[in-house]
Amino acid sequence: MAGSYAPAGAGSAGGDAPCLIVERPAHLAGTRWPLTRPAHIVGRYGDIRLSSPDVSKRHAELRRGSDGVWLNDLNSSNGVLRNGRRMEPGRPVRLKDGDRLQFGSLELTFRQFDAMAPDTVTVDADVTHLNDYRTRHPAGSRPDPGLPPPPPNHAPAPPVDDDARSMTTRQLAASTQLVPGFADLVVRQVVDEPYRALAPVFGADLGVVTRWALAARRRRLVRDLVLATVLVGLMALLGHGVLTHRDDLTNATGATGATDWWRPYATVGALLLGVGWLTVAVEMWTTEYLVLRRRLSARHFDPGQAPQAWSGRAQARLAAVAERPAGNLIVCSHYCPFAGSGFLVDDWDRPIDIRKGMPLGNGRREAPRPFTVGELYDVLIAAARRIGLDNLRVEERLFVDGLNVTQDRGLLPDPLRPPLTRVDRQVIRLMPDGLGATKRSYVSIEVPAWGGALVVTMYLRAVQVRGTLYLEWSAYALLPMLPEYYAVDGLPHRTSLGCALSAAFRAPVQLPPALLRSPMALARRFGYARRAAAHRRRQRRAIRAGHPFDYGAEYSIREIACGADEGTYFLGRDLSRALHTTQQHLLNTIGDFLESRGIDSENFQRVQQNLVQNFNDYSVHQDNRIKARNISGGNLAPGGNVNAGGPAPPTSR
């Protein structure tokens, strides 16, 4: 609750220096501030720093003169009490030894000449942040619960289990079982692009979805192989019968015994059709009951039960997928820096003048104290964690253009492998951030809600250039998926026997088209495998030859499934709340940070007021149609999903 900083060399003033001593609260009693400067500001962001909600940012001023120490109330919200009487703002009062002062809930005593007691704690020149007080508090006293935690060296990785168990993960995994095209799209994006980076899949676990997509493709491959074998057997049987009994077919008046030649053929054909019927029925029962109802239903879903990949290439790629949620390095493609984030719902950029110091009175101004963007980011990250939104995740991330990542071997150690997913924070801080920079750092704030149906992602960037602080803000939203992706939750209730009977009765209807499609399905499957292998070989040759290669990610599977409507009124309100709350909190934090550095925040306050006024309560439905930006390099398809050349949205069969 207390902290301060004094000039160098004045940390432990002698007994002839005036000082303030904390009397209340009890666990802070004895903490003292030597008054060594000509003027001190008391407040939440003053020289004498009192972190209490009932203390103003600039609560009061203490000024040393030849005739003593004068105290002035700077129009504080709760006022200043001197010996139990409220002071009049703007009318300084000379303090006397032993005066009791009250700033909000804190009571202090002024000592004109006070020798430091052996058990007191002097707040010295090294204390520049509230968190430093923890290490300087007297032994045996209780820590102050109001103190915020210090900014970590590295932001913790987001809780992967939350995404793995999300409703959206389950529904996307189920969609791979219902529609072959969607499973093919997932495998094509994840497994068959081994050199490119992966876009973050906010609100869902890409690894779980990919494993289920691979399992669905294996099951369909087995089905098509069996059906193709049945079809070939039927055609061979028919050809053999026609060639062998051609005369019987043309002799309408043949002998009685000669008309029974077809019976063995009919028997074998019936057996082959029975195998085909059983194959289709088993595949339908396995998909509907064992997979969708027993493993991908809301009641039984467990991401740990996702099938494992068989091929070494898929296993290696899934290992990279597992690292992606904890990564802070995003490699993007072309004009898609925030791939995976969804629709753009708000953005702005403003320059802030930071050359003018805080006014001290008599026409004088305090000299602004320098700061780095990294220090501002640390404060913003710590403040974002205290916003109070559920499941909020915040981290400083580095965004790199995919065509230029080859210039830094620290980000791409091996050109024949995808870029790293995480780098040290100090590496991010040392990146050049001027005009034309291909590597830029942002404070990334992710707010998932509604089981992954809504994910709000906000990006804030700051650049300091010659007395100007340039702020850049972008906010994106992943809205609920298209209705077709929720088909798993609309399946009728059936038991195992019910699913088996349903599959048995539906299989004869599905068998003829499945038989006829099986050769083409196999041809497409193996044809795509050949083209994918050739594509990877061309990529390897281009990389080894030093040709430009885009390692960046373009879109995510969550964006492909994303709709353009908020779905429900409450979800739209939650989106507005997340944007309003986060933006307002961060703007307030920036203003407080500037004031703590002795910078006049009047210019910033005008900018903040303008931003807040322009950020009105809007309809997400309308804004998405007006402001939604091209995410994947394609066009927005009807319904709002990104048309990335993939299959149509899944439909239940």
Side-chain angles (χ1 to χ4, degrees):
M1 186 173 297
S4 73
Y5 46 89
S12 180
D16 59 346
C19 67
L20 292 178
I21 304 175
V22 177
E23 301 293 340
R24 195 171 63 114
H27 62 280
L28 296 179
T31 304
R32 66 196 298 270
W33 285 274
L35 305 179
T36 57
R37 291 182 175 182
H40 291 270
I41 300 298
V42 181
R44 288 190 285 119
Y45 288 93
D47 297 332
I48 299 177
R49 197 172 303 173
L50 307 176
S51 180
S52 178
D54 52 7
V55 176
S56 300
K57 298 176 184 177
R58 293 169 52 86
H59 202 101
E61 181 187 35
L62 288 164
R63 184 172 294 275
R64 294 184 62 182
S66 58
D67 55 348
V69 178
W70 293 76
L71 175 64
N72 184 25
D73 184 358
L74 300 178
N75 293 302
S76 60
S77 300
N78 296 314
V80 178
L81 299 183
R82 174 175 172 264
N83 298 325
R85 298 183 62 180
R86 183 161 182 159
M87 293 180 54
E88 184 176 349
R91 298 192 64 178
V93 175
R94 188 174 63 180
L95 298 179
K96 300 178 181 180
D97 186 63
D99 280 351
R100 299 183 67 86
L101 309 176
Q102 184 170 344
F103 306 93
S105 59
L106 279 83
E107 292 185 3
L108 304 93
T109 300
F110 172 75
R111 293 296 180 185
Q112 186 69 49
F113 307 101
D114 184 45
M116 185 174 61
D119 59 345
T120 58
V121 177
T122 301
V123 183
D124 59 22
D126 297 329
V127 179
T128 60
H129 195 275
L130 297 176
N131 305 319
D132 296 337
Y133 174 73
R134 291 185 183 272
T135 61
R136 300 177 182 273
H137 202 271
S141 62
R142 296 184 298 107
D144 183 5
L147 289 176
N153 292 330
H154 295 280
V160 180
D161 288 342
D162 289 352
D163 286 342
R165 300 180 182 276
S166 70
M167 177 179 62
T168 301
T169 299
R170 179 180 62 84
Q171 291 160 346
L172 288 174
S175 297
T176 63
Q177 313 301 305
L178 292 170
V179 176
F182 185 65
D184 294 340
L185 177 65
V186 174
V187 174
R188 182 164 63 248
Q189 183 194 67
V190 178
V191 180
D192 295 332
E193 290 288 349
Y195 309 117
R196 302 190 68 165
L198 291 166
V201 181
F202 299 112
D205 191 313
L206 181 59
V208 174
V209 177
T210 303
R211 288 186 173 90
W212 279 111
L214 291 169
R217 283 167 55 89
R218 289 196 299 266
R219 190 170 63 251
R220 290 165 185 148
L221 176 62
V222 173
R223 179 200 63 187
D224 291 336
L225 285 172
V226 175
L227 292 180
T229 303
V230 170
L231 182 61
V232 171
L234 289 174
M235 295 180 65
L237 186 66
L238 179 62
H240 183 271
V242 170
L243 294 176
T244 304
H245 300 278
R246 182 171 49 191
D247 295 338
D248 295 330
L249 291 173
T250 58
N251 186 10
T253 60
T256 304
T259 60
D260 295 334
W261 62 268
W262 56 269
R263 295 185 184 275
Y265 292 95
T267 302
V268 177
L271 291 175
L272 290 175
L273 289 174
V275 172
W277 167 83
L278 183 62
T279 301
V280 174
V282 169
E283 195 271 337
M284 294 174 65
W285 178 81
T286 301
T287 300
E288 183 175 352
Y289 181 74
L290 292 183
V291 175
L292 295 178
R293 298 182 185 276
R294 296 298 301 172
R295 302 179 71 176
L296 292 179
S297 65
R299 180 179 178 183
H300 300 97
F301 177 63
D302 183 1
Q305 294 183 357
Q308 297 299 317
W310 289 1
S311 68
R313 187 176 73 254
Q315 291 175 356
R317 194 59 169 159
L318 286 171
V321 171
E323 297 175 356
R324 178 65 278 163
N328 62 356
L329 174 62
I330 307 296
V331 182
C332 49
S333 177
H334 305 299
Y335 197 71
C336 307
F338 307 119
S341 302
F343 294 141
L344 176 68
V345 294
D346 185 54
D347 67 335
W348 51 262
D349 51 83
R350 295 289 189 277
I352 309 297
D353 187 3
I354 58 174
R355 295 172 299 175
K356 190 182 295 183
M358 295 288 292
L360 296 176
N362 300 325
R364 300 173 56 192
R365 291 183 177 273
E366 184 178 354
R369 292 181 290 278
F371 65 92
T372 64
V373 171
E375 293 174 336
L376 175 59
Y377 281 178
D378 286 338
V379 173
L380 289 173
I381 291 173
R385 293 197 174 103
R386 301 193 298 271
I387 293 178
L389 296 175
D390 296 335
N391 301 318
L392 184 144
R393 309 165 186 176
V394 57
E395 186 167 16
E396 182 180 356
R397 288 174 173 163
L398 181 65
F399 292 79
V400 185
D401 185 84
L403 289 171
N404 297 282
V405 71
T406 55
Q407 302 174 4
D408 192 338
R409 285 300 180 90
L411 308 179
L412 185 69
D414 186 357
L416 292 177
R417 295 178 62 87
L420 300 179
T421 58
R422 190 167 190 87
V423 295
D424 190 85
R425 187 179 66 168
Q426 297 303 321
V427 174
I428 301 177
R429 298 284 172 86
L430 294 175
M431 292 290 179
D433 210 10
L435 296 177
T438 59
K439 310 177 187 68
R440 306 192 178 192
S441 62
Y442 289 81
V443 174
S444 174
I445 304 169
E446 175 194 347
V447 186
W450 292 78
L454 171 67
V455 183
V456 185
T457 312
M458 293 150 283
Y459 302 94
L460 179 63
R461 177 172 174 253
V463 181
Q464 186 179 177
V465 181
R466 295 185 180 271
T468 300
L469 181 66
Y470 182 83
L471 298 178
E472 175 188 334
W473 166 270
S474 300
Y476 291 78
L478 285 169
L479 300 176
M481 298 183 293
L482 296 170
E484 293 83 359
Y485 288 85
Y486 300 99
V488 63
D489 294 329
L491 296 175
H493 175 72
R494 292 195 182 104
T495 62
S496 175
L497 179 60
C499 291
L501 293 176
S502 175
F505 284 110
R506 287 186 293 140
V509 180
Q510 299 288 337
L511 179 58
L515 273 175
L516 298 176
R517 288 197 304 262
S518 59
M520 293 299 300
L522 291 175
R524 287 195 299 268
R525 179 75 174 266
F526 291 112
Y528 171 76
R530 291 182 58 190
R531 291 192 301 272
H535 176 66
R536 292 191 295 270
R537 288 194 298 269
R538 289 193 298 270
Q539 288 180 328
R540 285 196 299 269
R541 288 196 297 267
I543 294 173
R544 288 169 176 168
H547 296 162
F549 180 76
D550 190 358
Y551 288 89
E554 293 184 335
Y555 60 91
S556 70
I557 61 171
R558 178 63 174 87
E559 287 178 317
I560 296 174
C562 183
D565 298 328
E566 64 270 30
T568 67
Y569 175 83
F570 297 122
L571 189 144
R573 293 302 88 201
D574 286 350
L575 169 58
S576 180
R577 173 192 170 191
L579 292 175
H580 276 92
T581 303
T582 305
Q583 178 176 255
Q584 186 65 49
H585 192 83
L586 294 183
L587 289 176
N588 290 338
T589 301
I590 294 173
D592 294 343
F593 178 83
L594 295 178
E595 291 186 0
S596 71
R597 300 296 174 167
I599 300 171
D600 190 355
S601 62
E602 182 180 357
N603 180 37
F604 177 78
Q605 290 173 0
R606 289 196 298 267
V607 172
Q608 180 181 1
Q609 184 178 6
N610 183 48
L611 290 173
V612 173
Q613 289 177 350
N614 292 335
F615 190 65
N616 296 319
D617 194 12
Y618 60 87
S619 169
V620 177
H621 182 84
Q622 295 176 354
D623 245 20
N624 279 330
R625 281 164 171 74
I626 297 173
K627 301 179 65 177
R629 186 170 288 177
N630 184 355
I631 300 168
S632 69
N635 299 316
L636 289 176
N641 63 316
V642 179
N643 182 7
T651 56
S652 60
R653 53 185 183 177

